[in-house]
């Protein structure tokens, strides 16, 4: 009957959790996250949004990955593993991590902003020998993870960038 109490399923997600599944609109852009002034939205990932930010004092441009919507403890743990990976692994062919805040809202990781193209789009301008060298650099970035006992769980061309100087950068380890 309509007078019976409603029992929530432990598997049901609250309606607010769907907020992280939509792309950020200009109205949703925060003005600042931590010490970074937000310049624009770059996109939406599996865990939230990615913004282009600039450090307010240093002028350093970074990509800022933010958890959106309801904060699921499992999601925060995955984000924490990713933060440890990108901040703890320094290799020329792996994205550099700069800072993280997982204790305050919004929870974020600030990483190197790699201006350039996705691997599959950018690789076409190189000759055969350069293409082989670029693929070798992908392997070097992934090998750096393996040497730390880590596995990239989402390796695909969209998670590999060729920066404007032609450097290969493995990104978004999908932890």
């Amino acid at each position: 009957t309509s007078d019976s109490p409603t029992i929530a399923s432990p598997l049901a997600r609250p309606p607010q959790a769907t907020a992280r599944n939509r792309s950020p609109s200009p109205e949703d852009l925060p003005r600042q996250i931590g010490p970074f002034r937000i310049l624009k939205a770059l996109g939406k990932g599996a865990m939230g949004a990615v913004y282009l930010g600039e450090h307010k004092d240093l002028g350093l441009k970074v990509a800022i990955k933010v958890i959106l919507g309801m904060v699921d403890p499992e999601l925060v743990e995955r984000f924490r593993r990713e933060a440890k990976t990108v901040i703890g692994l320094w290799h020329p062919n792996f994205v550099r991590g700069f800072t993280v805040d997982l204790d305050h809202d919004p929870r974020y990781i600030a990483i190197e902003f790699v201006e350039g193209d996705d691997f599959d789009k950018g690789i076409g301008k190189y000759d055969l020998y350069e293409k082989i060298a670029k693929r070798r650099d992908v392997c070097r970035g992934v090998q750096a993870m393996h040497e730390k006992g880590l596995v990239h769980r989402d390796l695909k061309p969209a998670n590999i960038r060729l920066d404007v100087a032609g450097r290969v950068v493995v990104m978004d380890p999908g932890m």
Side-chain angles (χ1 to χ4, degrees):
T1 68
S2 61
D3 294 333
S4 4
T6 304
I7 299 173
S9 164
L11 301 177
R13 289 200 179 268
Q16 300 92 329
T18 60
R20 69 184 160 123
N21 296 329
R22 61 183 168 82
S23 294
S25 68
E27 298 82 37
D28 294 334
L29 286 180
R31 293 186 191 279
Q32 187 162 329
I33 296 174
F36 303 100
R37 184 171 52 93
I38 301 305
L39 304 176
K40 68 178 182 176
L42 295 175
K44 180 180 85 64
M47 294 190 278
V50 181
Y51 302 106
L52 174 62
E54 182 177 59
H55 194 283
K56 63 184 175 91
D57 296 323
L58 305 176
L60 174 70
K61 287 190 178 173
V62 297
I64 303 169
K65 295 182 75 169
V66 178
I67 297 177
L68 293 178
M70 288 285 292
V71 180
D72 174 4
E74 184 180 317
L75 185 62
V76 173
E77 184 53 35
R78 284 180 53 208
F79 207 62
R80 184 179 312 280
R81 285 193 306 266
E82 182 172 343
K84 283 182 176 181
T85 299
V86 299
I87 290 179
L89 181 62
W90 283 81
H91 187 277
N93 300 118
F94 192 81
V95 68
R96 293 181 196 112
F98 296 117
T99 190
V100 61
D101 186 346
L102 300 177
D103 297 321
H104 304 92
D105 285 327
R107 289 167 170 83
Y108 72 90
I109 306 169
I111 61 173
E112 171 185 14
F113 172 62
V114 182
E115 194 169 352
D117 292 316
D118 288 346
F119 191 79
D120 58 349
K121 181 179 178 190
I123 196 70
K125 63 185 168 192
Y126 296 101
D127 68 30
L128 177 62
Y129 296 103
E130 291 171 313
K131 287 177 182 177
I132 293 169
K134 300 296 181 197
R135 285 177 172 84
R136 178 203 60 214
D137 290 344
V138 171
C139 294
R140 287 178 173 167
V142 173
Q143 179 183 1
M145 287 186 70
H146 292 182
E147 288 172 356
K148 295 274 190 177
L150 303 168
V151 175
H152 196 299
R153 295 176 187 234
D154 196 20
L155 191 61
K156 58 188 177 188
N159 287 339
I160 303 165
R161 302 277 291 170
L162 285 165
D163 74 8
V164 293
R167 178 177 64 111
V168 171
V169 183
V170 176
M171 307 176 66
D172 202 5
M175 307 308 289

